[in-house]
Each structure stands twice: as C-alpha cells, then as structure tokens.
Amino acid sequence: MHTSYKCYHPYISPFDPCKPIQTKCYSTPPNLYMTFQPTNLRQYDTPYQALCHGTLWPDLFDPYPNVRKEGTS
Amino acid sequence: MWYYEKKLQYPVKVSQCNPMLAKYLIEQYGGADGELSAALRYLNQRYTIPDKVVGLLNDIGTEEFAHLEMIATMIYKLTKDATPEQLKAAGLGAHFVNHDHALYYHNAAGSPWTATYIQAKGDPIADLYEDVAAEEKARATYQWIIDISDDPYINDSLKFLREREIVHSQRFKEAIEILKEERDRQKIF
C-alpha cells in the first residue's frame, strides 16, 4: 500500500528570513502507482458513498488536505 | 553561478545558405517547446522541488542553454550572408524588416516567446510530468525538422539534440520514481 503524501526536510540556510518550515509534504495520489487499473476492484458499498468520494473505487480515492497534518505545501 | 566554456556542446556545421531552414529551426529557439522554454522552465522550477531532484533540474536546465546556443549557431550560419531578396523568398521578409539578420526569440510562425509557454505549479509531481511532456514535444519537433530538412550536417546535429531529449525524459521519469518512493518505510528483503 502506498502513502498519499511524501514528506521531506528541506535544507534550511542560516540566512532564511522567514521562520523555516522544517518538513514539507507533497501529494502522491494512487493513480501514480496504479498504471493500468486492475479489473474487479472493490467498489464503495453504496452509490451515495461513491458520489461523495468522486470515484467508485476506494483504491483510487485520495484524501486532501494531508490528514496527517505534517507541515505544509 | 555558471562557468562558460567557449565551445559548443556538439559541433554545428552547415552545408549551404538556407534561410528557409532557419525559419523552421527558430521553432526550437523561441517556440513553446524550444530550448529557451526548457532552460527557463527547469531552472525556475528547481527552487521549489524536493532537495533530492534539485540537482537534476539544475543540470538539465544548464544543458538546455548549451542546446540553445547550438540552435542559435545553426540559424545564424544559415542566414548570415543571405540577401534581403533571399530572406524574402524564404518567408523571412517580415523578420528582416523587424530584425535585419539578428536572431529573435519567436517561433516558426513569428509569435514572440512568452512566459505562458512554461509553468511552475509548485507541486513536484505536476512539475516533473510537465518536464517529461516538454522533452517528448521537443523530441517530436526535432523529428519534424529533420524530416523537412535536406542538410546532412544540420541533421547530424539535430539527431544529437533529439537523443538528448530522450535522455532528459528518462531522467525526469526517474526523478518521479524517486519522489514516489516510500522513503520512511523500512525495506524488507
């Protein structure tokens, strides 16, 4: 299983005037890893759930913003 | 900062005065998928890309300037002693009126270069996919220029440049793979 966000610790110069953000995260949604969608993937239990998520398949759903709240951007 | 080496990355030789070919080549000089767009795109995106791939954008962006210089040399050599009549016959009459024999950053149809050709989205995945697409579009443009050109020396240099696009595309795709990696996770062998 992949993670929806990757975080890294950017280089921080001693001369950075703004308060440094120690950890920066970027989005890596499931479609990056799926290549070709496999057949017969599990679907949401109800059409209403699927509508709310914007997709029929939980495996394609990507939460935003980062639920783990690690840093920004 | 940059150090400058006073030579081209790959030699450029021109077999005959051919302003028409210069008109097509200018697409790679000041066009949307040209070398100027590429260099400025990568060297600008590098500031907000994760540290692991900053160096790649820096190096490829720098190489694009070396390519820009090769294209400029080709265009210059193809037109430098052409008469206004020859330029007019090649469809470069308007260019001559505006620029004489000078080069200018516009595409083959004469539209000036614009920053709207490039993007910096700040999202590393979006930016790198744009870079991959840019390399593939530049490769295609080189192919069509080679197809339309009958200058064997120019085509030799263009084939070199086309190959570099392929290598750069590969490197950008590797960068995406690096950013996709689950780095915090323990690897079990």
Side-chain angles (χ1 to χ4, degrees):
Chain A
M1 213 15 217
H2 79 282
T3 53
S4 275
Y5 289 87
K6 307 285 182 292
C7 297
Y8 64 104
H9 309 292
Y11 169 73
I12 292 163
S13 154
F15 305 110
D16 288 350
C18 305
K19 187 171 173 285
I21 298 169
Q22 312 257 348
T23 305
K24 295 210 175 184
C25 299
Y26 55 92
S27 180
T28 49
N31 61 320
L32 267 184
Y33 301 88
M34 200 173 275
T35 318
F36 215 108
Q37 183 175 336
T39 49
N40 303 317
L41 273 189
R42 191 179 78 78
Q43 298 193 3
Y44 283 109
D45 296 327
T46 65
Y48 180 74
Q49 273 183 311
L51 180 65
C52 290
H53 284 96
T55 174
L56 288 173
W57 305 278
D59 285 349
L60 262 183
F61 177 72
D62 187 56
Y64 190 89
N66 190 356
V67 284
R68 283 155 67 208
K69 290 271 185 298
E70 284 176 320
T72 55
S73 90
Chain B
M1 70 175 287
W2 278 267
Y3 286 98
Y4 185 75
E5 260 191 82
K6 205 171 172 59
K7 63 182 181 190
L8 293 176
Q9 190 191 9
Y10 186 90
V12 166
K13 218 178 146 189
V14 177
S15 55
Q16 56 181 335
C17 174
N18 187 350
M20 183 79 91
L21 183 52
K23 184 176 160 63
Y24 300 139
L25 270 173
I26 206 108
E27 185 65 31
Q28 284 298 57
Y29 192 63
D33 309 316
E35 302 291 354
L36 181 71
S37 302
L40 297 181
R41 181 187 295 114
Y42 308 150
L43 292 176
N44 180 253
Q45 287 178 353
R46 69 187 160 147
Y47 293 98
T48 46
I49 211 89
D51 300 35
K52 274 200 166 186
V53 298
V54 171
L56 180 76
L57 265 73
N58 185 71
D59 292 355
I60 295 182
T62 301
E63 187 179 340
E64 303 296 357
F65 274 130
H67 296 172
L68 187 71
E69 209 178 26
M70 286 176 60
I71 297 292
T73 305
M74 291 179 201
I75 296 167
Y76 172 67
K77 287 190 178 193
L78 284 165
T79 55
K80 85 179 178 90
D81 296 315
T83 63
E85 285 71 30
Q86 282 176 305
L87 291 171
K88 202 172 140 191
L92 286 170
H95 184 278
F96 176 75
V97 167
N98 200 358
H99 307 289
D100 188 3
H101 283 77
L103 279 74
Y104 193 67
Y105 292 116
H106 56 201
N107 68 9
S111 303
W113 189 87
T114 157
T116 53
Y117 287 160
I118 63 176
Q119 180 57 286
K121 211 70 223 182
D123 179 287
I125 301 297
D127 282 350
L128 284 168
Y129 269 116
E130 166 169 338
D131 300 346
V132 170
E135 294 293 336
E136 301 300 346
K137 286 189 282 181
R139 173 182 56 79
T141 308
Y142 277 123
Q143 289 166 191
W144 314 150
I145 297 174
I146 291 166
D147 289 351
I148 211 170
S149 153
D150 56 1
D151 188 320
Y153 295 128
I154 289 274
N155 284 357
D156 180 61
S157 305
L158 293 178
K159 283 171 193 171
F160 168 84
L161 291 170
R162 177 183 171 274
E163 182 58 39
R164 296 310 299 159
E165 308 296 340
I166 294 168
V167 175
H168 291 170
S169 173
Q170 174 62 24
R171 297 293 167 260
F172 283 132
K173 285 193 229 165
E174 287 164 1
I176 294 170
E177 292 307 311
I178 289 171
L179 296 190
K180 280 165 67 179
E181 256 172 39
E182 309 284 350
R183 269 173 291 115
D184 304 332
R185 191 158 298 180
Q186 260 192 324
K187 270 190 188 157
I188 299 153
F189 296 100

